[in-house]
Amino acid sequence: MKKRMFCLMLALLVLLTATGAVFAEGKTIVYWSMWSSSEPQAIVIAEAVKAYEAASGNTVDLQFKGRTGIREGLQPALDAGTEIDLFDEDIDRVNVAWKDYLLDLEELVKANDYEATALPSMIGAAREVAGGSLKSIPYQPNVFNMFYNVEIFEEAGIEAVPTTWEELLAASEKIKAAGYTALTTDDAYVMTNFGYQLARYIGEAGVVDVVTNGNWAETPEVLKAAQDYEDLYAKGYLSSTFGTSVWPTNQNGEFALGDVAMYLNGSWLPNEVKGVTGPDFKWGCFAYPAVPGGKDGIEAANFGAQVFAINKNTKVADEAFSIIEYITKGEFDKKLSVESVGIPADTTNAEWPEMLSAVKDVMAGLTTRYQWSAGIENNPDMTPIIKENFQKLCTGKVTAQEFVDALEAASK
Amino acid sequence: MKRNRTMFIVFLAPALILFCAVFVYPIFRTIIMSLFKVENITSGMSEWAFVGIENYKSLVNTSLFRISMWNLFRIWLIGGLVVMSLALLFAVILNSGIRFKRFYRAVIYMPNIISAVALATMWIQFVYNPRFGLLTTTFKNLGLDSLAAINWTDSDHKFWALLFAYCFGMVGYHMLIFSSGIEKIPQELFEASTIDGASKPQQFRSITWPLLSGVVKTNITMWSITSVAFFVWSQLFSMVTAETQTITPMVYMYLQVFGAGNVISERNAGLGAAVGVLLGLCVVIVFVVTNRLIKNDDLEF
C-alpha cells in the first residue's frame, strides 16, 4: 500500500513539473559569468539578476564559472552548441579571442539610448578593440597605473606626484631618506614595470616589435629602460624582493602594511588589500612617469574593463541586453562600485569609492590605451625568460647590458 | 562447452565501444592533431591546417620548451629519488612493529587529502614568506642571518622551493603503496630470519627489497605519470605568467592551447597535442625501461 502511494505521489510530482514547464511564463536567459560566487561582484550581480527576474517574469540561469572556468570552458561550450546567451570576461579576450561568437550591439545600444550615461572612454575602447563596431558592454572599468601610500609621500615631504623619471628618482630619494622603500611588486606584475618603461621610450608598437621579432640588442632603448631599473636598484629604491615574491606576498605584505610607498598595479588593488590596509589607508594614484625623449607620456596606460557580450545565436538578445542594463546602470552599478571598490560604469553614479577618488583624475587624463603590460608579454615563448632576467636585474644579479645580451641570445 | 559468439559480442561490445571512445579515439585524434595547426581546441577538422612535423620542429627549436623538459626531468629524477627513498624508509619503519603505526601512517598520508591549492598557499605564504616566513624567522632566531636573508622564491631558489613543497605532499601516497607491498610479505620470513640472527637492515636487504620489486615498478610508473602531468603546483608557484624555474611541458601545453596569462596570444592546439604526444612517449619509454631493468617474476611467495 505504501509503495503504491509512493508511486502515485511520484507520478503526480512528475506531472506537475511537466505541466509547470509547459505553462511557465517568460523566457529563460542563460548567463555565464567570469566571477566566483563568493566575490563581491558576483554577489551584486546575483542581486541584480534577481531584481531583473522579479520585474520581467523571465528566468535567468546564472552560472558563476570563475576566471579559469570561463577561459577554458566558454569557447568549447559555444562550439558544442551549448545554449549561452550572455557572458562576461576581459575586454580583450572577449573582443579578440571570442570575436566570432559576438552579437553586434550597436542597434540595441541605440534603441535603448545606452550611451547617454556610459563612460565614453570605455565605450570607445570596446569599439576600438572590436574593430570599430560595439560588440561588448564595459563594466567594472579599471586602469593600470602607479598606486601609492599618501601618508608615506606626506611624511617624506613630496608635494607633487612625479610626472617625469627625474621626479620619480627625486621622490624615491625622499622616501628612502624617510626610512621607507620606494617601490615593490610581485611576480605576477613585475613584467608590467619593464613594459611601461620601454613603452614610454618607444611606444606600445615598438615594444611588441621588440618582443615578437627579438630586436633586443638592435633597439637601444631596451638598454636605456634596463639601465633605468638598474639605477633604481643601485640607489636602493627597490624592495629586496622586487618582483620575486609570489603574488600577493608583497602586495599584501610590505605595501599594504606600509613599508613601501609605490606599487604599479590595477585599480582593483585597493579592493584586494582592503582587508589588510583597513579603512584608514590613504590611497593615491599617479600616471607612470614620462622618460626623457620618450614617445609616450603620462597620457598612455593600460585601461579597460570587464565586458558583457551576447551570443550571436541567441534568441533572447533584448532580454540579455536588459540584464546588462540592470547590472551596469543605476542602483546595481552603484552597489557594484561600492561593494567591489570599483569604478562605476554609469556616469550618473558620479560618486566614486573614497579609495579610488585619486584614480579619477588619472583616468581623465588618459588618451592612449596600452594593451596588458604595454605588449611586453606578447610573445609567450619569451615572457618567462624576460621575467627571469628582469627579476635578476631588479635584484642586482645581472647588469643592464647582461640583461639585454641574455634576451638577445634567448630570442635567436 | 559450446561457445556462443553472439553472447561474446553482446557482453564485450559495451566495454569495447567505451574503451574505443574514451581512450583509443582521443589518442589517435591527438596524434593526428599534432600534425596540424589548430587555432581552437574545438575547431572542426575542416578548419585544421596540415603542417606535417612542423609542430615538433618548433618545439625542439623553442628554448622555453626545452627549459620545461629540463624542469620535468629534474622533478622526475631528483624528486623521484627523494620521494621513493623517504616513502620506502617510512614504509619499512611503519611495518617493523612500532607502536602507533596507524597514527603515524595517517600523519604521513595527510598532505594527500589536503587540496594542492591550500598546501601551496601554506608553503608560499607561510614557509617561504620573506617577511615573516617559517624559514626566515627560524634562521633569524638561530642567528643564521645569511640563511635568513635567502629569498626562497627568487629565480635561484624557486625550482627547489617548488620541488621540496611538492615532494612533501607526495611521500605519503607512495609510502602507502610500498606499505601494502611489505604487508603482503609473509611474516614467517621475517620471524625465521630473526631467529637466525638477521638484523633489520639485513632483513631489508635480503627479504623486503627483493620481494618488493613489483611494487617498486608500480611506484616508478605512477611517479612518472604524475610527474608528466605536473601542472597545478607550477601554476600556483607562478600565478598569471609562467616562469623559467617552474614551467613544465604541461604548463607550456596549456599556454599554447588556452593562451598565456593576461595577454591575448596566438593559440595552437596542434602544438599542444604535439607536447601531449611527446609526454606520452616519455611515459612509455620509462615504463619499458623499468620493465626491462626490474624483473618481478623471479620470486614467488
Side-chain angles (χ1 to χ4, degrees):
Chain A
M1 187 63 191
K2 263 185 184 174
K3 212 172 179 181
R4 194 174 290 174
M5 275 298 286
F6 176 73
C7 288
L8 201 67
M9 294 286 282
L10 199 69
L12 202 65
L13 194 71
V14 171
L15 195 70
L16 279 173
T17 316
T19 43
V22 170
F23 294 108
E25 283 180 14
K27 298 174 179 174
T28 299
I29 303 103
V30 182
Y31 166 24
W32 278 28
S33 176
M34 61 170 282
W35 305 104
S36 299
S37 56
S38 58
E39 290 181 281
Q41 289 89 342
I43 292 165
V44 177
I45 285 173
E47 280 179 37
V49 162
K50 231 176 212 171
Y52 166 80
E53 285 180 321
S56 66
N58 292 330
T59 307
V60 181
D61 179 4
L62 171 58
Q63 300 180 32
F64 290 110
K65 297 289 179 185
R67 315 285 191 287
T68 316
I70 203 143
R71 184 172 156 191
E72 294 171 5
L74 183 78
Q75 195 168 359
L78 288 171
D79 282 340
T82 308
E83 204 175 298
I84 303 162
D85 303 298
L86 178 64
F87 50 88
D88 57 14
E89 235 279 357
D90 168 71
I91 186 168
D92 289 304
R93 192 175 313 283
V94 168
N95 284 289
V96 180
W98 300 335
K99 62 180 188 298
D100 296 336
Y101 307 90
L102 312 181
L103 181 76
D104 195 314
L105 301 176
E106 291 289 3
E107 278 182 26
L108 279 166
V109 164
K110 214 173 181 183
N112 292 282
D113 198 19
Y114 185 89
E115 275 193 81
T117 56
L119 280 176
S121 57
M122 289 301 151
I123 293 283
R127 272 206 183 92
E128 185 191 319
V129 72
S133 187
L134 193 63
K135 291 181 176 174
S136 62
I137 300 292
Y139 77 111
Q140 285 266 295
N142 58 63
V143 60
F144 202 91
N145 249 319
M146 197 69 92
F147 285 80
Y148 69 96
N149 183 331
V150 173
E151 280 181 0
I152 295 180
F153 267 48
E154 285 172 355
E155 198 183 322
I158 302 163
E159 284 161 6
V161 292
T163 56
T164 64
W165 193 250
E166 281 300 312
E167 289 173 10
L168 182 83
L169 292 177
S172 300
E173 186 56 41
K174 286 182 181 172
I175 291 164
K176 188 183 166 191
Y180 297 97
T181 304
L183 272 158
T184 190
T185 190
D186 287 296
D187 61 350
Y189 297 113
V190 65
M191 293 282 284
T192 58
N193 289 267
F194 191 64
Y196 267 47
Q197 187 69 6
L198 189 55
R200 285 295 188 248
Y201 280 110
I202 57 176
E204 182 192 277
V207 176
V208 172
D209 173 59
V210 168
V211 296
T212 48
N213 299 317
N215 294 325
W216 298 95
E218 294 81 356
T219 313
E221 289 83 0
V222 174
L223 181 62
K224 266 194 205 172
Q227 281 167 339
D228 291 337
Y229 270 84
E230 186 182 36
D231 192 32
L232 288 180
Y233 168 76
K235 287 177 172 158
Y237 301 155
L238 301 181
S239 156
S240 60
T241 54
F242 187 88
T244 58
S245 286
V246 180
W247 178 87
T249 305
N250 283 348
Q251 165 188 306
N252 290 2
E254 54 189 25
F255 180 74
L257 293 174
D259 292 344
V260 181
M262 295 177 274
Y263 195 126
L264 180 63
N265 205 307
S267 48
W268 51 80
L269 181 63
N271 180 48
E272 285 185 354
V273 298
K274 66 186 177 194
V276 185
T277 59
D280 298 331
F281 191 92
K282 284 189 183 169
W283 285 95
C285 178
F286 63 90
Y288 192 90
V291 297
K295 188 171 184 291
D296 287 344
I298 58 171
E299 76 293 344
N302 166 241
F303 61 91
Q306 316 305 331
V307 295
F308 284 108
I310 298 175
N311 183 354
K312 66 178 181 187
N313 297 325
T314 185
K315 294 182 182 77
V316 287
D318 289 329
E319 289 76 9
F321 195 78
S322 291
I323 297 171
I324 296 175
E325 286 191 299
Y326 255 80
I327 299 169
T328 61
K329 298 284 184 202
E331 179 196 347
F332 289 105
D333 176 62
K334 189 173 184 182
K335 202 163 188 185
L336 201 57
S337 159
V338 172
E339 295 298 325
S340 67
V341 194
I343 301 168
D346 183 346
T347 50
T348 61
N349 287 328
E351 201 178 317
W352 288 25
E354 177 61 29
M355 291 182 202
L356 289 180
S357 53
V359 179
K360 210 169 186 177
D361 291 338
V362 176
M363 203 144 177
L366 295 176
T367 54
T368 304
R369 180 176 183 265
Y370 287 157
Q371 54 182 301
W372 175 257
S373 70
I376 197 77
E377 294 177 25
N378 272 33
N379 182 352
D381 282 343
M382 278 299 289
T383 301
I385 298 166
I386 306 167
K387 190 175 175 183
E388 180 190 338
N389 284 284
F390 188 59
Q391 285 171 329
K392 285 181 173 171
L393 177 72
C394 295
T395 47
K397 286 176 183 151
V398 296
T399 64
Q401 189 59 56
E402 286 168 343
F403 169 81
V404 176
D405 294 344
L407 296 181
E408 180 69 12
S411 61
K412 293 293 176 262
Chain B
M1 197 178 84
K2 194 184 171 189
R3 287 187 176 180
N4 186 336
R5 291 184 59 159
T6 320
M7 286 304 280
F8 267 130
I9 293 166
V10 168
F11 278 100
L12 266 180
L16 213 61
I17 290 168
L18 272 177
F19 180 76
C20 289
V22 179
F23 287 102
V24 180
Y25 169 68
I27 289 171
F28 277 104
R29 190 181 159 98
T30 305
I31 293 170
I32 293 165
M33 203 179 201
S34 72
L35 303 173
F36 287 79
K37 185 177 188 314
V38 184
E39 196 194 338
N40 302 329
I41 193 160
T42 42
S43 296
M45 284 182 98
S46 58
E47 295 167 47
W48 297 9
F50 184 74
V51 291
I53 57 164
E54 275 309 306
N55 286 333
Y56 292 95
K57 273 188 188 170
S58 163
L59 286 177
V60 173
N61 292 326
T62 304
S63 59
L64 189 62
F65 180 70
R66 292 199 301 267
I67 291 170
S68 74
M69 287 297 280
W70 171 237
N71 285 344
L72 173 61
F73 177 71
R74 290 194 293 172
I75 291 167
W76 177 79
L77 183 68
I78 303 167
L81 284 172
V82 171
V83 168
M84 293 306 149
S85 309
L86 286 176
L88 185 58
L89 179 69
F90 287 144
V92 170
I93 293 172
L94 285 178
N95 286 287
S96 64
I98 59 159
R99 292 177 71 193
F100 309 118
K101 172 185 168 180
R102 288 171 69 180
F103 170 75
Y104 290 126
R105 192 167 60 188
V107 168
I108 297 168
Y109 188 74
M110 195 152 68
N112 285 275
I113 58 166
I114 301 171
S115 142
V117 178
L119 272 182
T121 306
M122 178 198 80
W123 282 98
I124 294 164
Q125 302 301 338
F126 170 61
V127 181
Y128 297 137
N129 191 301
R131 189 186 171 97
F132 42 72
L134 179 71
L135 292 176
T136 305
T137 46
T138 307
F139 288 133
K140 257 185 200 162
N141 291 338
L142 292 171
L144 302 166
D145 289 342
S146 57
L147 283 174
I150 291 175
N151 182 359
W152 299 100
T153 54
D154 69 11
S155 49
D156 292 338
H157 303 94
K158 203 167 194 175
F159 174 79
W160 301 107
L162 167 70
L163 187 61
F164 192 85
Y166 176 66
C167 290
F168 173 83
M170 292 301 290
V171 170
Y173 175 73
H174 292 281
M175 177 204 72
L176 271 198
I177 301 177
F178 275 129
S179 197
S180 68
I182 295 170
E183 278 169 7
K184 266 201 257 168
I185 301 172
Q187 279 302 307
E188 300 84 61
L189 295 178
F190 293 107
E191 283 163 15
S193 65
T194 308
I195 294 164
D196 290 343
S199 65
K200 290 284 178 197
Q202 281 174 323
Q203 285 179 358
F204 174 78
R205 206 172 51 243
S206 307
I207 303 170
T208 315
W209 181 246
L211 296 181
L212 268 185
S213 57
V215 180
V216 170
K217 207 157 70 176
T218 307
N219 259 333
I220 291 174
T221 309
M222 298 297 279
W223 174 256
S224 304
I225 292 169
T226 46
S227 299
V228 158
F230 198 93
F231 178 77
V232 176
W233 282 83
S234 181
Q235 290 284 75
L236 292 166
F237 267 68
S238 301
M239 293 201 201
V240 189
T241 46
E243 283 178 52
T244 50
Q245 294 303 304
T246 57
I247 193 164
T248 57
M250 207 68 160
V251 176
Y252 187 81
M253 177 205 277
Y254 183 85
L255 299 181
Q256 294 301 328
V257 176
F258 293 106
N262 286 322
V263 293
I264 311 302
S265 55
E266 193 186 338
R267 292 172 296 171
N268 181 2
L271 204 65
V275 176
V277 171
L278 289 179
L279 291 180
L281 274 178
C282 288
V283 175
V284 170
I285 290 168
V286 169
F287 183 71
V288 170
V289 171
T290 315
N291 264 333
R292 285 272 165 88
L293 293 179
I294 305 172
K295 305 271 183 224
N296 64 338
D297 43 10
D298 293 349
L299 298 165
E300 281 183 13
F301 59 94

